[in-house]
Amino acid sequence: MDAALYPVLRKVKYKFYLENFSDEDADQILSDSRCDKSAWLRNLQNMYLEGAITLKQVKLELLKALYIVGILGVKLPNSHKVVYSHDNPVGGQDITQNSLHVHKMSGGH
């Protein structure tokens, strides 16, 4: 995982929602000097700076990436289980509308 994401992951609670991931959090990640060491973060940063994507889209892309690598899980409605990407992939809409959970082994907590 890219080190630029750790400060924000440490700040969020184990369970949170998209709206808890603030614009300031995304800006903190994009302005971190460690973005230069990550091709995908640098690309995301450039797309945002060029106006190709909004800050809301940046946040969604960051959360989707954290889900794909297994750091975040999604708790779907009517389920007691948190689903991680290796269990059963969910779509972007699921990430935006349900609670997100930081995996206890991620090092973020």
Side-chain angles (χ1 to χ4, degrees):
M1 184 181 78
D2 291 301
L5 300 171
Y6 275 120
V8 172
L9 275 179
R10 284 188 195 107
K11 190 172 106 175
V12 298
K13 298 187 184 302
Y14 164 74
K15 174 184 172 183
F16 69 102
Y17 295 87
L18 176 63
E19 55 267 12
N20 301 124
F21 188 55
S22 70
D23 290 352
E24 291 79 20
D25 293 332
D27 189 52
Q28 178 183 352
I29 292 168
L30 292 180
S31 61
D32 193 298
S33 61
R34 294 173 284 195
C35 280
D36 290 336
K37 297 177 183 173
S38 168
W40 79 272
L41 275 177
R42 191 173 50 250
N43 184 45
L44 199 59
Q45 183 184 54
N46 288 336
M47 289 190 316
Y48 175 67
L49 292 174
E50 293 167 0
I53 59 174
T54 65
L55 200 51
K56 184 175 182 177
Q57 290 169 307
V58 167
K59 292 191 295 187
L60 185 56
E61 289 302 314
L62 289 168
L63 294 176
K64 284 194 312 191
L66 291 171
Y67 172 76
I68 289 169
V69 299
I71 291 172
L72 288 182
V74 177
K75 187 165 185 213
L76 299 174
N78 303 319
S79 174
H80 65 284
K81 183 178 177 188
V82 176
V83 178
Y84 292 90
S85 61
H86 61 274
D87 294 325
N88 184 21
V90 299
Q93 185 175 11
D94 292 319
I95 290 173
T96 62
Q97 296 179 351
N98 295 294
S99 63
L100 304 169
H101 298 256
V102 179
H103 194 283
K104 61 184 174 187
M105 300 299 287
S106 71
H109 281 278

